[in-house]
């Protein structure tokens, strides 16, 4: 069952770097017969991998193919006599997988490992033999894609195999590249399986492999896998979509004429561009039909415009929006803000004079290669520039071609890969805390179902400076991503400088400051699970709640006991007004203390109310034309002040604050504790200080109480 584009010939033209025009389609039966005959000469490549060599040389003209010949000879001899359920010799499977990768532009090491990827699993070949013959790099990749023994793991074999592959992918993404190509060829030949087994394999492909292909940016594999899964799991919708495409094939397609109009516009603007009509694949047609209802001719494809430089992409965009009527809601700039899977393009759409709407993708040729092949197009991402230069120099000194030397690091040492995507780092972290295969399997599917990635910045400037999270993540997820299990004591967060609750969702580009309690008994509450999206956070919270069944309820209880409120306004204290016999009062709105700069105003009854000069009441009085009265402080040091403390609710908070105030030798005249709102509590204290100079130290002592995030003058 084929899941090519709606027009396979057109797809071939839209992807010139993956399939040369005129290349014959791979005939597995003919290759099977050639494989059984073996190589005709030790000095030339076997005929059976001629297609692989041709596709590989199209991307790597100087590649040394001798290692491929040796890998094929070992694979063919070890698989000789084995047959696939479809009836072909087994060697046709690694050949087909290798051809898929070769057409995507994989480098020689990947193709070598691909030819050998089933030898250790299904034959007598050992990893030591692979290492001795082909080196550590190939051995590591082959080991990464080799399944664990079912006899050892039983029903857990499949999840444990994926765990092993993902851990290996963390050190070398080429492991997953081979797995994706392997699954694609198996899906192409799935028709010989029982329907129930087809459905089981298709569901795993849908839930795990397709999301992984999306995250690694291998769109060429992802789209075909989607179509194959669609045909198996949704046969009725698939047949309906096939009928829509077949009906469209007999109608006039408006896109070629629109493409020609675009070519004329760009040619007149002096922009060198290649304009192609790119048919939609089956799943894409199905999705757009559900979105728009009745489809028009232009809905069955999109225009793909390839240019040389990034600036040309925006030049094309300007011409399209100038000469046609743009559909503003369809514009997306994935060049300035790339997707988390390396994808870069400009997306737009415009309406023609006859009412057709054409969707357009604009990208450079390099962007196109990465968009189609993803991590496969990166070659060996672990070879440093220095190592590559050294390998090239060594090859030149020995008379070899520059492309024949590949720099390899030791695959058994953990690699520091700055290009490793955030989702993969998160996955590698949380899988260590999920020893149960069922938990790992279910959480993995939930993690891969997240189809959007955001990046937030740490306000403390620590390393790393950014945190990658799935779309919809909350401050709780950020806390566990940054602090691990220490996030159990997180009591709040500031997002973009503003205080917010831990349950608040984060957006791409937010700056996050997480506030931790110093109390070792602090822990998460059960409702955190409702707002945690990352597996690491959910596993850590669940583990803590399970270990502290009685502590969860206590941590959710906020301080609620209000104390009796005593008027915050006191007498004049040590403030003296320059009015004989006037009664002086310190304003309750700002409670000035020495040595604050103050101003007084006469109120009803002849009393003078003293405010700090920064108080809003002073500006209001002066705007009304009220004349201020000069006020000075007596030499005595004692004073009265009102402080506001803002904190997160937790047990014993009021007692701890009162104790901190008492340690500073300060008398509490009155206090008010408001009921908590969104886990935040506001305290108001009127205090009698023996010495005004001790006010800064008092405020610092109150801020040091766990849970208190701000203390200010009233």
């Amino acid at each position: 069952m084929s899941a090519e584009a709606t027009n396979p010939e057109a797809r071939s033209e839209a992807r010139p770097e993956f399939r040369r025009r005129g290349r014959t389609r791979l005939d597995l039966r003919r290759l099977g017969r050639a494989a059984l005959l073996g190589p005709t000469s030790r000095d030339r490549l076997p005929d059976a991998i001629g297609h692989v060599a041709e596709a590989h040389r199209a991307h790597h003209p100087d590649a040394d193919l001798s290692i491929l010949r040796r890998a094929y000879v070992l694979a063919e001899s070890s698989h000789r006599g084995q047959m696939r359920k479809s009836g072909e010799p087994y060697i046709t499977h690694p050949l087909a997988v290798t051809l898929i990768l070769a057409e995507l532009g994989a480098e020689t090491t990947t193709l070598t490992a691909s030819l050998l990827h089933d030898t250790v699993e299904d034959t007598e070949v050992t990893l030591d033999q692979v290492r001795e013959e082909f080196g550590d790099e190939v051995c590591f990749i082959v080991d990464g894609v080799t399944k664990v023994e079912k006899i050892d793991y039983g029903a857990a074999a499949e999840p444990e195999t994926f765990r092993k592959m993902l851990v290996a992918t963390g050190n070398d993404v080429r492991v997953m590249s081979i797995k994706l190509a392997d699954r694609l060829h198996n899906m192409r030949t799935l028709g010989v399986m029982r329907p129930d087994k087809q459905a089981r394999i298709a569901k795993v492909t849908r839930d795990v492999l397709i999301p992984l292909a999306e995250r690694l940016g291998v769109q060429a594999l992802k789209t075909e896998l989607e179509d194959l899964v669609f045909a198996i799991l949704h046969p009725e919708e698939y047949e309906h979509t096939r009928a829509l495409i077949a009906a469209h094939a007999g109608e006039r397609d408006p896109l070629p004429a629109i493409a020609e109009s675009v070519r004329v516009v760009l040619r007149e603007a002096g922009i060198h561009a290649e304009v192609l009509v790119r048919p939609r694949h089956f799943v894409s047609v199905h999705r757009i039909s559900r979105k728009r209802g009745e489809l028009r001719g232009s809905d069955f494809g999109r225009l793909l415009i390839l240019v040389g430089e990034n600036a040309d992409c925006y030049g094309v965009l300007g011409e399209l929006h100038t000469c046609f009527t743009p559909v503003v809601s369809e514009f997306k700039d994935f060049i300035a803000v790339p997707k988390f899977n390396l994808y870069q393009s400009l997306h737009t759409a415009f309406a023609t004079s006859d009412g057709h709407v054409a969707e357009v993708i604009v990208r450079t040729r390099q962007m196109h290669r990465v968009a189609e092949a993803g991590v496969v197009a990166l070659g060996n991402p672990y070879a440093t520039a220095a190592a590559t230069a050294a390998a090239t120099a060594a090859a030149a000194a020995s008379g070899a071609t520059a492309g024949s030397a590949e720099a390899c690091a030791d695959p058994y040492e953990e690699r520091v890969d700055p290009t490793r995507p955030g989702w993969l780092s998160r996955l590698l972290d949380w899988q260590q805390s999920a020893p149960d295969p069922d938990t790992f399997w279910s959480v993995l599917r939930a993690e891969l179902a997240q189809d959007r990635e955001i990046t937030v910045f740490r306000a403390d400037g620590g390393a790393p400076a950014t945190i990658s999270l799935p779309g919809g993540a909350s401050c709780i997820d950020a806390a566990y991503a940054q602090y691990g299990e220490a996030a159990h004591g997180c009591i709040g967060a500031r997002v973009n400088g503003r205080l917010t609750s831990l349950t608040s969702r984060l957006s791409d580009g937010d700056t996050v400051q997480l506030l931790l309690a110093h109390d070792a008994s602090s822990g998460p509450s059960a409702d955190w699970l409702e707002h945690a999206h990352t597996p690491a956070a959910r596993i850590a919270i669940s583990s803590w709640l399970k270990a502290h069944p009685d502590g969860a309820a206590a941590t959710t209880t906020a301080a609620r006991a209000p104390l009796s409120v005593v008027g915050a306004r006191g007498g004049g204290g040590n403030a003296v007004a320059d009015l004989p016999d006037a009664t002086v009062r310190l304003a309750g709105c700002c409670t000035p203390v020495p040595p604050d700069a103050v101003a007084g105003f006469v109120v009803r009854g002849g009393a003078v109310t003293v405010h700090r000069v920064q108080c809003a009441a002073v500006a209001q009085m002066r705007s009304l034309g009220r004349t201020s009265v000069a006020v000075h402080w007596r030499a005595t040091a004692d004073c009265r002040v009102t402080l506001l403390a803002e904190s997160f609710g937790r047990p014993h908070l009021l007692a701890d604050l009162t104790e901190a105030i008492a340690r500073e030798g300060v008398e509490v005249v009155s206090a008010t504790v408001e009921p908590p709102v969104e886990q935040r509590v506001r305290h108001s204290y009127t205090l009698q200080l023996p010495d005004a100079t001790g006010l800064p130290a008092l405020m610092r002592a109150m801020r040091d109480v766990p849970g208190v995030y701000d203390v200010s003058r009233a």
Side-chain angles (χ1 to χ4, degrees):
M1 185 182 303
S2 174
E4 294 291 336
T6 57
N7 184 344
E9 290 76 21
R11 171 169 284 196
S12 298
E13 294 179 4
R15 300 179 179 174
E17 67 272 47
F18 299 136
R19 181 173 295 168
R20 291 181 175 178
R21 296 177 185 175
R23 178 183 298 167
T24 57
R25 190 170 179 82
L26 184 63
D27 185 344
L28 292 180
R29 293 189 180 276
R30 183 177 63 79
L31 288 185
R33 291 192 296 271
L36 290 176
L37 294 175
T40 57
S41 169
R42 296 180 63 88
D43 300 325
R44 62 186 290 262
L45 283 171
D47 292 337
I49 57 171
H51 289 77
V52 173
E54 181 186 356
H56 188 39
R57 280 281 170 82
H59 294 276
H60 305 277
D62 299 325
D64 180 6
L65 302 181
S66 62
I67 190 173
L68 290 181
R69 185 187 70 82
R70 291 190 288 115
Y72 170 76
V73 169
L74 177 59
E76 187 278 326
S77 61
S78 60
H79 286 298
R80 188 174 296 169
Q82 295 179 349
M83 307 295 287
R84 304 197 79 213
K85 290 189 177 181
S86 56
E88 291 97 6
Y90 194 89
I91 189 61
T92 58
H93 171 65
L95 277 172
V97 172
T98 306
L99 180 62
I100 291 170
L101 293 168
E103 289 191 330
L104 289 174
E107 36 73 59
T108 309
T109 301
T110 304
L111 300 186
T112 303
S114 177
L115 283 169
L116 301 170
H117 79 273
D118 276 339
T119 54
V120 175
E121 181 180 326
D122 295 332
T123 75
E124 298 300 321
V125 176
T126 65
L127 284 173
D128 289 337
Q129 288 176 297
V130 174
R131 182 184 297 109
E132 182 179 354
E133 182 72 18
F134 301 98
D136 286 339
E137 198 87 0
V138 172
C139 179
F140 181 83
I141 299 173
V142 171
D143 185 30
V145 296
T146 299
K147 295 178 183 177
V148 299
E149 291 291 344
K150 207 164 196 177
I151 193 172
D152 296 329
Y153 288 88
E158 186 171 39
E160 290 301 330
T161 293
F162 273 97
R163 188 201 295 262
K164 175 188 174 187
M165 289 181 186
L166 288 167
V167 171
T169 299
N171 280 339
D172 198 323
V173 293
R174 293 173 292 183
V175 171
M176 192 53 64
S177 300
I178 294 176
K179 178 59 183 176
L180 291 172
D182 172 73
R183 179 54 61 96
L184 175 57
H185 182 246
N186 284 334
M187 289 293 296
R188 285 175 177 174
T189 58
L190 204 59
V192 298
M193 298 286 187
R194 298 191 314 271
D196 60 324
K197 193 167 185 179
Q198 289 185 38
R200 185 185 66 79
I201 295 174
K203 287 177 182 177
V204 174
T205 303
R206 177 196 62 192
D207 296 343
V208 179
L209 273 303
I210 289 176
L212 285 171
E214 168 73 15
R215 280 158 174 71
L216 295 174
V218 195
Q219 295 295 322
L221 303 186
K222 179 216 169 192
T223 54
E224 188 172 351
L225 284 171
E226 281 185 328
D227 285 348
L228 292 166
V229 168
F230 184 43
I232 293 172
L233 298 183
H234 305 282
E236 294 182 1
E237 291 90 338
Y238 180 82
E239 289 302 326
H240 175 69
T241 305
R242 179 189 288 277
L244 287 176
I245 294 169
H248 167 69
E251 300 174 355
R252 177 181 171 273
D253 188 352
L255 286 178
I258 297 174
E260 184 57 34
S261 301
V262 171
R263 291 188 190 99
V264 172
V265 167
L266 298 181
R267 189 162 51 245
E268 291 177 352
I271 299 176
H272 298 285
E274 185 179 2
V275 183
L276 304 169
V277 176
R278 187 179 177 91
R280 294 182 184 273
H281 62 106
F282 280 81
V283 171
S284 180
V285 172
H286 174 67
R287 287 171 180 162
I288 201 168
S289 67
R290 296 187 62 182
K291 177 182 177 182
R292 300 179 182 175
E294 185 177 354
L295 298 181
R296 305 187 63 179
S298 58
D299 292 332
F300 287 87
R302 292 182 286 189
L303 299 185
L304 173 64
I305 302 178
L306 302 178
V307 295
E309 303 293 337
N310 287 18
D312 294 335
C313 294
Y314 293 97
V316 169
L317 183 70
E319 293 298 325
L320 293 179
H321 285 192
T322 301
C323 300
F324 301 95
T325 303
V327 181
V328 179
S329 60
E330 295 293 328
F331 173 67
K332 297 181 180 66
D333 188 346
F334 295 119
I335 295 179
V337 185
K339 290 186 178 182
F340 65 91
N341 61 356
L342 310 176
Y343 180 87
Q344 287 184 288
S345 292
L346 295 178
H347 287 204
T348 189
F350 62 81
T352 63
S353 57
D354 55 358
H356 289 290
V357 175
E359 294 187 25
V360 185
I361 300 172
V362 186
R363 58 175 69 137
T364 66
R365 290 175 178 82
Q366 175 60 21
M367 290 177 191
H368 181 57
R369 184 178 177 221
V370 174
E372 294 296 296
V375 295
V376 179
L378 300 180
N380 181 359
Y382 312 101
T384 63
T388 302
T392 303
S398 63
T401 58
S404 63
E406 293 180 2
C408 299
D410 183 354
Y412 294 99
E413 294 180 3
E414 185 172 355
R415 294 165 170 175
V416 179
D417 177 15
T419 67
R420 176 190 288 178
W423 65 266
L424 182 55
S425 295
R426 290 198 309 271
L427 190 153
L428 295 175
D429 289 339
W430 69 254
Q431 65 87 23
Q432 299 178 10
S433 303
D436 177 20
D438 291 336
T439 301
F440 167 78
W441 197 230
S442 59
V443 175
L444 174 64
R445 295 186 182 205
E447 166 83 350
L448 294 177
Q450 304 286 344
D451 59 355
R452 193 167 62 87
E453 189 94 352
I454 64 172
T455 301
V456 298
F457 297 88
R458 292 177 56 174
D460 58 8
T466 61
I467 304 173
S468 296
L469 297 167
S474 66
C475 295
I476 295 172
D477 298 303
Y480 282 95
Q482 180 173 339
Y483 293 112
E485 292 189 356
H488 292 329
C490 196
I491 54 177
R494 290 184 184 272
V495 178
N496 301 324
R498 301 185 65 179
L499 187 70
T500 187
S501 64
L502 283 173
T503 60
S504 299
R505 286 194 174 189
L506 297 169
S507 300
D508 197 34
D510 282 346
T511 299
V512 182
Q513 178 186 1
L514 299 162
L515 309 174
L516 298 182
H518 301 292
D519 185 359
S521 64
S522 297
S525 62
D527 62 351
W528 283 20
L529 287 173
E530 299 177 10
H531 304 280
H533 288 71
T534 58
R538 295 186 62 82
I539 291 173
I541 294 169
S542 298
S543 299
W544 192 92
L545 293 174
K546 186 176 180 180
H548 302 79
D550 299 327
T555 58
T556 61
T557 304
R560 289 181 173 271
L563 298 184
S564 58
V565 179
V566 181
R569 295 188 180 187
N574 48 7
V576 179
D578 290 347
L579 282 179
D581 302 323
T583 302
V584 178
R585 298 175 181 171
L586 300 180
C589 56
C590 57
T591 56
V593 297
D596 291 341
V598 292
F601 293 90
V602 179
V603 296
R604 290 180 183 179
V608 175
T609 301
V610 180
H611 297 264
R612 283 189 287 163
V613 294
Q614 301 93 342
C615 181
V618 173
Q620 184 177 10
M621 293 281 193
R622 288 174 176 168
S623 68
L624 296 175
R626 302 282 293 276
T627 303
S628 61
V629 177
V631 178
H632 65 274
W633 298 105
R634 291 195 184 99
T636 55
D638 65 312
C639 65
R640 181 172 293 188
V641 64
T642 299
L643 298 180
L644 299 178
E646 295 183 82
S647 65
F648 295 97
R650 67 171 179 82
H652 313 301
L653 177 61
L654 183 59
D656 292 345
L657 264 172
T658 306
E659 183 181 354
I661 294 170
R663 282 199 301 265
E664 298 297 319
V666 176
E667 177 187 353
V668 179
V669 177
S670 64
T672 302
V673 182
E674 299 176 6
V677 178
E678 293 186 354
Q679 299 181 350
R680 297 197 296 271
V681 184
R682 181 183 174 94
H683 307 248
S684 176
Y685 295 93
T686 299
L687 308 170
Q688 186 71 34
L689 279 72
D691 190 339
T693 59
L695 180 59
L698 170 64
M699 295 175 70
R700 283 195 300 271
M702 293 174 68
R703 289 192 187 101
D704 288 340
V705 174
V708 177
Y709 57 82
D710 195 16
V711 176
S712 60
R713 298 272 297 277

